[in-house]
Amino acid sequence: MRKAYQLILKCFAIAVLAALPFTFYGQEEGEAESTKSSSFSPYWYLKASFGASFDHSDLNRYKMAPDFEMIQPAGQIGFGRQFTPVVGFGGYFNRGFLEAQEPDLNLTYKGDYFEFAFRAPINFSNLFAGYKDRKFNIWGSIGYGQIQYKSNIYNHKTGAPLFTLGYEDSSPPDNAVGNGLADRRVVAILPVGIGFSYAIAEKWDLNLDYTFKFADSDIVDGHVAGAEAIKQDMFSYTGIGVTYKIGAGASLNKMQKDFDQITLKTTPEVLVEKGEMVEVTIEGTFPPKYFNSKAAMLFQPVLKYEDGGEYVLKPMTLKGEDVVGEGTVINSKTGGTFTYTDKFPYEQGMNASELVVDPVAYIVKETIHESKDAITINEKFVELGERKLADGVIYTSERIYPGEAALIAGHHGYKKETIISEMSKIYFRVNLYNLNWRLPLNKKEATLDKLENMWNFVERGWDIKNVEIDGWASPEGEETFNENLSENRAKTAYNYMTGKFKRISWKKDATVDYKNPEEQISFMIKHHGPDWAGFMNAVESSDMKDKNVILNVIRSAGSQSKKEQEIRNMILIYPELEDDILKPLRRAEMTVNCYEPKRTDENIAELSTTYPDSLKIEELLYAATLTEDDGTQIDIYESVIEIYPDDWKAYNNYAVIALEHGNVEKAAGLLEDAMELAPNNGKIYNNMGVIALHAGDYEDAEEMFKKAESLGENANYNLGLIAIHKGDYDKAMKLMGGKDCDYNTGLAQLVADDYSKAENTLKCAKENVGEAYYLLAIIGAKTDNSSMMYEYLTKAIKENDAYKAQAKHDREFIEYFDAPDFQALVQ
């Protein structure tokens, strides 16, 4: 039995020795990366234990089993270095006592020893299960050393001394005196052990060790066994003690294990897009005794999209107080805080995302690294574990509807009521108001032609709106007289016209019927007295040599009567004043105003789609305003473009309809054609800005809107949309003028957190009803009004089924994501 047990122990020792190369080379090759990533750092250690020693020599009456009646005290101290998570090396000193007895041989043995040995501890837990920061570990060890011992052999029955070993006066057998301390005998030993450790503190382990020691001698107990017996004496040590790890500090694995003790607060809790940017602030707090004074931590948040994409934010370095370089210091003893801020551009995909961080801690050898790749390549490190920081990103301010900003060319040029006028004059002698056709001015061909044209115009038969008669006098006469004179001349013209109306009505082939013109026609008779303005203008535009002298005399004359006198005086000097200036001023003007015959709206509407080439361009453009059917309007505008290709209005208005239907490409082409025809037209520039809005090019859109404004168009509303996009919501509402029942105005109020106004505005929105419902659902979510949220989200989805997919990932509804009713609604 004793022999078999000894063979088993030897096999164990051989197996442990065989495993040593694998622990070294395996770690270097197959586990090189895991060694780094495990965060293990080599350390020195001190060990001390106290326990009992047991003899297993020839004189042990129980053979290989411990004889507990023979327990003797022993103690051990050691010093070494743990090189890897599996293998270390150290030196040990053991002081102990031994005792055994064998009644069958009538021998009792007592001795003591000093042990000096080198051992290689092997961590079986890390070898077979991988390195972790465990509380409990199982160790094995193997080594080589020596014991220096002395022994006393007694008669078991009488207690009489028989002989000694390792003393100066030792008795036989031969070689009883050794060359050790105080003539102690020196024997080589092979210690093989197993142990258990339990971490009671950061640097302290509690140990339980058992070591079995093979001595290269069979006379440690003073007895030489027979030929069939084991030729080596053996003894063992069992002790309990502690290990102190020197210079290990706060380990990286402890930082990993305690990472959940770090407080991280993110503001806002759900990220928000504002002005094309997303801002985030993270405040962190480290507890005392967390941070390794020689370590650094790379803190770099990442926004991970649900579709697999990601956006990496800027890195931040946190470091222990012993680390040299840039970074925020976190004291290893007292802990500390940090504040991280970043601002990054919003892009599609971020709306369905999460902001996370997986910090990397590492021991700084030479320099601080700003990337994870550099750390993993050059340093021992540990990933502390992914932590969710925030949800993101709310993008409600991007829900601008550009179509409402387009401008129609409303001035089609067609007038439902057009007044056409013909005017003629009759002239009078000085101070007279009777009609004299022999008067030279009345006989002039130009005068007669004008009269003929006027009456021919009347005979067209158009409806007469009114007839205007204005009587005038030349300014050289007395003022009161001239007033009466101009009045009488107007009456003369009135009598002339009423008589003429009657005569043309009695013609055989008369086209008009004004036999009673005084009642059938509205006459507007006015008299103006002396025509001073006409006089001054006539003189100024004449070829008279001294016209400036005449004008200066009149202007400086002072009173009305003096001016009249000066004219009379100058007639004597300048007779051409009478013939060329004053005579044409003694007149009555007659103007006939008629309504131009028009097609009815019904007739224009019909012709615009059946015979568009029979209509003028103004009529065609007007026809487009008579229908609300987009298809009919498009047909009309296409006819205009074909028949009147040089008019920009049809291109522009067709483009507006295309925008309303989401055909941005078609609209862009039409507006380019319009721009060629009217390169400096504000409406076209405005609508080109709307095209840019649809493309998401807000910078170009703003430039276009400002150009439209410089050309006289009111682009405030559109610039308000730009302000929403830039995140300046107060400016947006000012520019948009608080427009009632308008979707974009409601959006501006919503993102400015004025939920009450936004609700009122959106509830009455007549355009973009589905979009308005969706915003109302968001207001319900923001104000914790779940019934309102569900009501309007249901309405929005009914208007447009695409809102299901949007709402499912929209962080505005994040509080409802797990609610069964919400899930049922968006599936």
Side-chain angles (χ1 to χ4, degrees):
M1 176 66 185
R2 181 177 179 182
K3 184 175 182 180
Y5 190 69
Q6 188 174 13
L7 288 173
I8 293 172
L9 290 174
K10 287 184 177 181
C11 290
F12 173 77
I14 294 170
V16 171
L17 286 171
L20 284 175
F22 292 100
T23 63
F24 282 104
Y25 293 106
Q27 290 293 320
E28 289 178 3
E29 298 176 10
E31 298 183 18
E33 184 176 349
S34 63
T35 301
K36 281 190 174 184
S37 64
S38 70
S39 82
F40 174 82
S41 295
Y43 59 87
W44 296 95
Y45 61 86
L46 284 172
K47 296 187 70 171
S49 64
F50 180 78
S53 61
F54 298 90
D55 183 84
H56 301 285
S57 66
D58 300 307
L59 298 184
N60 184 337
R61 58 182 170 177
Y62 299 117
K63 309 309 178 188
M64 294 300 294
D67 187 348
F68 291 101
E69 292 182 10
M70 301 288 104
I71 292 176
Q72 292 295 312
Q76 178 177 275
I77 59 173
F79 174 76
R81 182 168 177 82
Q82 189 70 26
F83 295 103
T84 76
V86 175
V87 178
F89 188 80
Y92 293 83
F93 170 75
N94 187 284
R95 171 66 168 144
F97 299 88
L98 297 170
E99 185 173 349
Q101 56 181 315
E102 177 53 78
D104 292 342
L105 298 176
N106 195 27
L107 293 175
T108 297
Y109 150 67
K110 293 182 180 180
D112 69 88
Y113 64 89
F114 294 100
E115 176 187 334
F116 305 92
F118 294 100
R119 297 186 202 169
I122 301 171
N123 190 316
F124 290 142
S125 298
N126 292 338
L127 175 63
F128 296 111
Y131 174 70
K132 291 182 181 179
D133 187 22
R134 298 181 180 88
K135 285 283 187 181
F136 182 79
N137 284 279
I138 302 175
W139 296 81
S141 67
I142 189 168
Y144 182 81
Q146 65 172 224
I147 60 168
Q148 298 185 14
Y149 71 93
K150 59 183 180 178
S151 303
N152 288 298
I153 311 302
Y154 302 93
N155 184 292
H156 177 66
K157 293 180 180 179
T158 65
L162 297 179
F163 61 89
T164 61
L165 299 172
Y167 293 93
E168 290 184 9
D169 55 350
S170 294
S171 54
D174 295 337
N175 254 347
V177 177
N179 56 2
L181 295 173
D183 294 322
R184 290 173 178 272
R185 287 176 62 84
V186 179
V187 174
I189 61 168
L190 179 68
V192 178
I194 189 168
F196 307 91
S197 66
Y198 182 80
I200 57 176
E202 183 179 326
K203 297 184 180 181
W204 292 91
D205 285 353
L206 181 66
N207 306 305
L208 177 63
D209 294 317
Y210 176 77
T211 307
F212 200 92
K213 304 166 187 181
F214 299 90
D216 189 23
S217 172
D218 192 30
I219 59 169
V220 174
D221 58 356
H223 177 75
V224 177
E228 298 300 322
I230 299 174
K231 301 300 183 180
Q232 287 86 26
D233 287 335
M234 294 168 282
F235 61 98
S236 63
Y237 169 75
T238 301
I240 186 169
V242 294
T243 299
Y244 178 72
K245 301 171 184 177
I246 302 172
S251 62
L252 292 180
N253 53 307
K254 181 180 184 301
M255 292 177 71
Q256 182 186 52
K257 181 184 69 174
D258 296 341
F259 181 52
D260 58 352
Q261 297 180 17
I262 298 174
T263 301
L264 297 174
K265 180 183 178 182
T266 306
T267 305
E269 294 181 358
V270 180
L271 302 181
V272 179
E273 179 274 338
K274 183 177 181 180
E276 298 185 274
M277 302 298 291
V278 181
E279 294 186 26
V280 62
T281 298
I282 304 167
E283 296 175 331
T285 302
F286 289 90
K289 298 182 181 179
Y290 172 85
F291 217 99
N292 188 325
S293 64
K294 297 180 180 180
M297 180 189 294
L298 180 68
F299 187 91
Q300 188 167 28
V302 177
L303 194 67
K304 292 188 174 181
Y305 310 165
E306 288 189 6
D307 63 5
E310 67 177 27
Y311 184 92
V312 180
L313 279 65
K314 70 180 182 182
M316 180 180 188
T317 295
L318 308 168
K319 64 173 189 169
E321 65 269 22
D322 294 338
V323 176
V324 177
E326 295 293 328
T328 300
V329 176
I330 306 297
N331 190 276
S332 60
K333 293 182 179 180
T334 61
T337 62
F338 72 94
T339 300
Y340 173 96
T341 60
D342 198 8
K343 186 176 183 179
F344 54 93
Y346 172 78
E347 59 185 40
Q348 288 186 350
M350 289 183 176
N351 55 305
S353 63
E354 288 184 348
L355 184 67
V356 300
V357 66
D358 185 2
V360 178
Y362 61 100
I363 300 298
V364 179
K365 292 180 180 178
E366 297 180 357
T367 184
I368 287 175
H369 303 286
E370 294 185 356
S371 72
K372 183 175 179 179
D373 288 344
I375 294 169
T376 56
I377 291 171
N378 298 294
E379 309 291 359
K380 289 182 171 63
F381 71 94
V382 60
E383 294 177 335
L384 301 183
E386 186 172 282
R387 178 92 69 90
K388 179 180 175 180
L389 299 172
D391 284 287
V393 174
I394 290 174
Y395 62 105
T396 302
S397 66
E398 292 295 308
R399 293 185 173 278
I400 297 168
Y401 183 72
E404 295 184 2
L407 295 178
I408 286 283
H411 299 293
H412 43 68
Y414 178 77
K415 295 179 180 179
K416 294 189 70 173
E417 181 180 282
T418 304
I419 305 301
I420 307 296
S421 302
E422 283 288 343
M423 190 268 287
S424 63
K425 302 174 185 177
I426 54 177
Y427 299 93
F428 300 90
R429 291 187 183 277
V430 62
N431 296 332
L432 298 176
Y433 56 85
N434 61 301
L435 181 56
N436 185 348
W437 291 108
R438 293 191 299 273
L439 194 67
L441 284 175
N442 285 334
K443 294 169 62 177
K444 286 183 68 172
E445 185 177 354
T447 302
L448 296 173
D449 286 344
K450 282 285 188 179
L451 286 168
E452 184 178 4
N453 290 339
M454 183 182 72
W455 292 115
N456 288 338
F457 175 63
V458 169
E459 290 190 87
R460 287 184 179 182
W462 292 4
D463 291 340
I464 297 176
K465 179 183 179 182
N466 57 40
V467 175
E468 300 177 49
I469 298 176
D470 297 275
W472 298 89
S474 58
E476 80 280 9
E478 190 269 330
E479 183 177 3
T480 303
F481 178 80
N482 279 339
E483 285 290 339
N484 293 329
L485 183 61
S486 65
E487 182 179 5
N488 288 325
R489 286 174 176 170
K491 289 180 180 179
T492 299
Y494 170 75
N495 293 329
Y496 162 71
M497 292 203 73
T498 55
K500 185 67 172 179
F501 273 115
K502 293 175 182 178
R503 287 193 295 275
I504 62 176
S505 298
W506 285 106
K507 286 182 177 180
K508 182 178 180 180
D509 54 351
T511 57
V512 296
D513 183 9
Y514 294 115
K515 297 183 178 67
N516 189 13
E518 296 88 350
E519 295 181 2
Q520 293 175 282
I521 298 173
S522 173
F523 287 92
M524 302 179 67
I525 304 171
K526 294 179 286 185
H527 59 277
H528 305 281
D531 188 3
W532 281 102
F535 174 79
M536 298 297 281
N537 291 333
V539 172
E540 192 167 6
S541 61
S542 70
D543 296 332
M544 295 178 64
K545 185 183 296 185
D546 296 330
K547 63 181 178 181
N548 291 331
V549 175
I550 297 170
L551 292 172
N552 290 334
V553 169
I554 299 300
R555 291 188 182 114
S556 61
S559 66
Q560 188 80 5
S561 60
K562 288 184 178 181
K563 290 181 179 180
E564 295 165 357
Q565 184 60 49
E566 289 294 347
I567 292 177
R568 290 192 290 270
N569 293 337
M570 285 188 289
I571 291 174
L572 300 175
I573 302 171
Y574 304 103
E576 59 266 37
L577 276 176
E578 170 63 26
D579 293 333
D580 299 334
I581 303 299
L582 295 175
K583 285 181 179 180
L585 298 180
R586 301 161 188 154
R587 71 198 187 279
E589 294 177 349
M590 300 163 292
T591 304
V592 178
N593 299 311
C594 293
Y595 295 105
E596 182 182 21
K598 298 282 185 176
R599 291 185 173 95
T600 65
D601 287 355
E602 292 77 8
N603 185 234
I604 291 175
E606 181 182 358
L607 291 174
S608 67
T609 57
T610 54
Y611 299 101
D613 53 354
S614 68
L615 298 177
K616 298 177 182 178
I617 184 171
E618 296 85 2
E619 291 173 315
L620 276 172
L621 293 173
Y622 174 65
T625 68
L626 298 176
T627 178
E628 294 183 357
D629 181 72
D630 291 344
T632 303
Q633 288 180 338
I634 290 173
D635 290 341
I636 293 172
Y637 289 134
E638 287 179 341
S639 295
V640 176
I641 291 170
E642 181 181 353
I643 301 167
Y644 305 102
D646 295 333
D647 189 272
W648 65 273
K649 298 183 186 71
Y651 296 95
N652 179 83
N653 295 356
Y654 189 177
V656 172
I657 297 174
L659 282 173
E660 291 175 350
H661 288 268
N663 193 345
V664 181
E665 185 177 354
K666 177 69 174 179
L670 289 165
L671 288 172
E672 287 176 4
D673 293 337
M675 184 71 77
E676 290 184 9
L677 297 171
N680 287 306
N681 186 284
K683 284 185 171 62
I684 299 174
Y685 271 106
N686 177 85
N687 296 341
M688 292 291 281
V690 175
I691 295 289
L693 283 184
H694 276 280
D697 189 346
Y698 285 85
E699 183 177 347
D700 188 47
E702 183 176 18
E703 183 180 343
M704 292 291 183
F705 292 146
K706 287 183 176 179
K707 179 68 174 178
E709 199 171 48
S710 70
L711 292 170
E713 296 296 333
N714 185 348
N716 283 347
Y717 180 90
N718 304 339
L719 291 170
L721 302 184
I722 301 296
I724 293 176
H725 177 74
K726 288 184 174 181
D728 193 344
Y729 305 136
D730 291 336
K731 181 180 180 181
M733 288 188 288
K734 288 179 182 177
L735 286 170
M736 298 168 76
K739 191 175 177 183
D740 294 333
C741 301
D742 175 72
Y743 169 82
N744 287 323
T745 301
L747 173 63
Q749 293 164 342
L750 168 57
V751 293
D753 298 333
D754 194 342
Y755 303 138
S756 178
K757 283 186 179 178
E759 182 179 350
N760 292 334
T761 301
L762 292 167
K763 278 185 175 179
C764 63
K766 296 178 177 58
E767 302 291 336
N768 317 110
V769 176
E771 289 89 342
Y773 287 156
Y774 193 86
L775 293 189
L776 286 165
I778 290 175
I779 294 172
K782 286 182 174 292
T783 57
D784 296 324
N785 189 338
S786 59
S787 60
M788 177 182 178
M789 188 280 292
Y790 281 117
E791 175 189 355
Y792 283 102
L793 185 55
T794 301
K795 288 182 177 180
I797 292 171
K798 187 175 180 181
E799 289 285 332
N800 187 346
D801 194 62
Y803 284 123
K804 283 186 178 182
Q806 291 187 33
K808 185 176 182 179
H809 302 288
D810 193 339
R811 267 46 183 177
E812 293 281 21
F813 304 109
I814 193 168
E815 297 297 328
Y816 296 89
F817 277 3
D818 296 328
D821 289 344
F822 183 83
Q823 286 296 320
L825 186 59
V826 300
Q827 291 303 325

